[in-house]
Amino acid sequence: MNINILMVAVIYKGGAIPLVWSLLPKQGNSNMDERIHLIRCLKLFLTPEQWAQIRCITLDREFDGNKWL
């Protein structure tokens, strides 16, 4: 069985705390629409004050380009 999760997490004291995620019904990389949806969900989850405090976002190689971000 393959499990494919697209996730945004915050790193805290050496661990990752998941904030929002999506189970992808496929193998392989996520696409731009799936990534945009997840970031929109994150913006709904956070208050505007919390969103404004984000100072750094680290992405893996799948997240190339900046159009979606």
Side-chain angles (χ1 to χ4, degrees):
M1 171 192 295
N2 292 308
I3 299 173
N4 195 359
I5 303 173
L6 180 60
M7 181 181 297
V8 175
V10 64
I11 304 301
Y12 181 72
K13 293 188 177 185
I17 302 168
L19 298 178
V20 293
W21 59 89
S22 177
L23 297 175
L24 302 178
K26 63 180 184 180
Q27 293 181 358
N29 295 344
S30 61
N31 61 45
M32 186 171 61
D33 290 336
E34 291 163 334
R35 295 187 291 266
I36 288 170
H37 176 74
L38 197 66
I39 295 300
R40 285 182 177 155
C41 289
L42 178 64
K43 286 187 81 171
L44 291 172
F45 176 75
L46 299 176
T47 67
E49 293 80 17
Q50 291 169 325
W51 182 259
Q53 293 201 15
I54 295 174
R55 297 290 179 254
C56 177
I57 297 176
T58 303
L59 311 166
D60 69 11
R61 67 182 180 274
E62 168 181 336
F63 292 83
D64 60 343
N66 61 10
K67 181 180 177 181
W68 67 271
L69 187 56

